[in-house]
Amino acid sequence: MYDVDLNRIDTSGEAPEFEPERQFYYMAKCRDILQERARRTGRAQTACVTTFGCQMNARDSEKLLGILKAIGYEETEEEEADFVLYNTCTVRENANLRVYGRLGHLNAIKKKRKDMIIALCGCMMQEPTVVEKLKRSFTFVDLIFGTHNIFRLAELLYRCFTGEDMVVELWKDTTQIVEELPVERKYPFKSGVNIMFGCNNFCTYCIVPYVRGRERSRKPEDIIAEIERLVADGVVEVMLLGQNVNSYGRGLEEEITFAELLRRIEKIEGLKRIRFMTSHPKDLSDDLIQVMKESKKICRHLHLPLQSGSTRLLKKMNRHYTKEQYLDLAMKLKREIPDLSLTTDIIVGFPGETEEDFEETMDVVRKVRYDSAFTFIYSRRTGTPAADWEQVPEEVIHPRFDRLLAEVQKIAGEVCCKDLGTVQEALVESMDDHDPSMVTGRLSNNIMVHFPGDASMIGQIFSVKLTEAHGFYYLGEKAG
Ligand code: SAH
Ligand code: SF4
Ligand code: F3S
């Protein structure tokens, strides 16, 4: 991603004003300090980064880890590290509770290691009430930053190193997109690629637009250049990331749609697979369906969040589609791309949800027959409009949730077997967890297949005959 030699950066003068040069300056400064600490303690300094959220959050963690490694930290999965960073999520209340729970545990570790630095970043930090609570009751935290300034990690860390107590830097929003910083990928053969940041949709239940700021798209040439570099570095599959990829391009100087961006990415030589997430049904164009249909690289999987099947609730959710429009779109997709796997997100217990509303959701589930669905119990998020509306009692929500889950699982079990006996391409991602003579691969439609193989196959695509269906995965054997 970056090819700056930190040894050649002059750190004797003032920090440069512009990015990314400013951060390279601070990376070099931090690296000197870390080398000194390593000499003093007689061991390499370690860093542990934990992701709590979605794929965007995971991609941010790779960027954060990229900076940490560039300055000389060794990555570890142990929380007994010199630097521990939680990249938080706040989309539902239980994401927050997990963070508070684990912070107590970190405090106990820190009592034994006083040089340890504890840092928090991500979506939860963009909520002022959270930061107030941390400042009041979690004073052992050394560094807090948000979603808009992750590229400034080296500079913020330098402030921690030089003695500042609890460094807190939060930006309300940004228009800045800083390119060219180091990234440490989790997988050598596949990678997420941000194509846009933020969200402008303000679904009334959702906190993401408040914590991720306004929607902004990256320039197509920057995206293409990043993917070309990734491919040169061994990546065969990319996942294009955005809260609403179908509105890609709005606000850019060059007029470009998501479908057009896909056409350009398709042309990148050496790239084998393209995925994207998430598609908002309201902006999914016929042109996109056309591109998917024609494409040899775009995977046969579309995540199309429904949220609710009730037109009345969809209106209150500010989703901008009706039950019928959603069904028409899903059926059109299935008709045009018959091997497409459709998945979704559904919320149960949105304020005001009646038995009739819920039955509408069940009806859509039965009609679309999703390959899988993430089902969520509505979580009240402070600051969102729906938080102030009359809530559905828990004892009403839980039985509905169970009914929905049972239906979703029953259908998924039936749908997922449909390719049994065929030969499909699988990208081998890892060794099988349970059987050392098997590898685990991902099919174009996002379903996993386990088949005989060895570690040398990881990162490559093989033709696999699907010999046994097990509900949510297949067993297979290499074909040809
Ligand atoms: N941008 C994506 C979704 C991002 S959040 C989209 O619009 O589809 C991922 C999922 O979390 C959402 O699809 C929604 O189903 C769920 N979600 C968001 N806010 C929620 C809340 N307050 N309670 C329960 N689930 C929620
Ligand atoms: Fe949240 Fe809606 Fe934006 Fe998705 S599109 S992130 S659900 S506000
Ligand atoms: Fe969570 Fe933030 Fe993603 S709130 S779901 S980590 S955008």
Side-chain angles (χ1 to χ4, degrees), residues 91-92 199 203 205-208 242-244 278-280 305 307 319 345-347 376-381:
V91 76
R92 286 170 291 275
C199 181
C203 302
Y205 50 82
C206 184
I207 199 157
V208 171
Q243 292 299 351
N244 178 10
T278 300
S279 272
H280 195 305
Q307 315 299 4
R319 290 290 289 180
D345 292 344
I346 299 171
I347 297 174
F376 304 110
I377 287 179
Y378 168 75
S379 174
R380 192 175 192 169
R381 308 316 288 131

Side-chain angles (χ1 to χ4, degrees), residues 349-397:
F350 180 79
E353 184 186 73
T354 62
E355 187 57 26
E356 290 70 43
D357 293 318
F358 177 70
E359 275 303 332
E360 301 274 19
T361 300
M362 292 288 269
D363 187 43
V364 176
V365 166
R366 290 186 193 111
K367 288 192 166 119
V368 176
R369 297 181 62 75
Y370 296 103
D371 290 72
S372 77
F374 294 104
T375 49
F376 304 110
I377 287 179
Y378 168 75
S379 174
R380 192 175 192 169
R381 308 316 288 131
T382 312
T384 62
D388 299 333
W389 301 343
E390 195 177 328
Q391 308 288 307
V392 182
E394 261 183 52
E395 60 275 17
V396 176
I397 298 179

Side-chain angles (χ1 to χ4, degrees), residues 53-54 56-61 63-64 67 85-91 120-127 131 144-153 156 168-178 181 194 196-199 207-216 243:
C54 62
M56 308 250 182
N57 213 232
R59 183 63 180 157
D60 286 348
S61 290
K63 295 177 184 173
L64 293 160
I67 296 172
L85 174 61
Y86 283 175
N87 190 7
T88 62
C89 170
T90 187
V91 76
L120 298 172
C121 68
C123 295
M124 213 175 132
M125 300 306 122
Q126 294 292 141
E127 288 182 274
V131 177
I144 295 176
F145 56 104
T147 55
H148 304 299
N149 50 351
I150 60 168
F151 67 93
R152 286 172 47 80
L153 174 60
L156 299 172
V168 180
E169 185 184 272
L170 293 158
W171 295 2
K172 264 192 131 80
D173 203 348
T174 184
T175 49
Q176 201 173 6
I177 298 178
V178 178
L181 283 167
N194 298 105
M196 58 211 294
F197 301 95
C199 181
I207 199 157
V208 171
Y210 304 89
V211 296
R212 286 271 168 181
R214 293 295 56 75
E215 182 181 290
R216 51 214 180 274
Q243 292 299 351

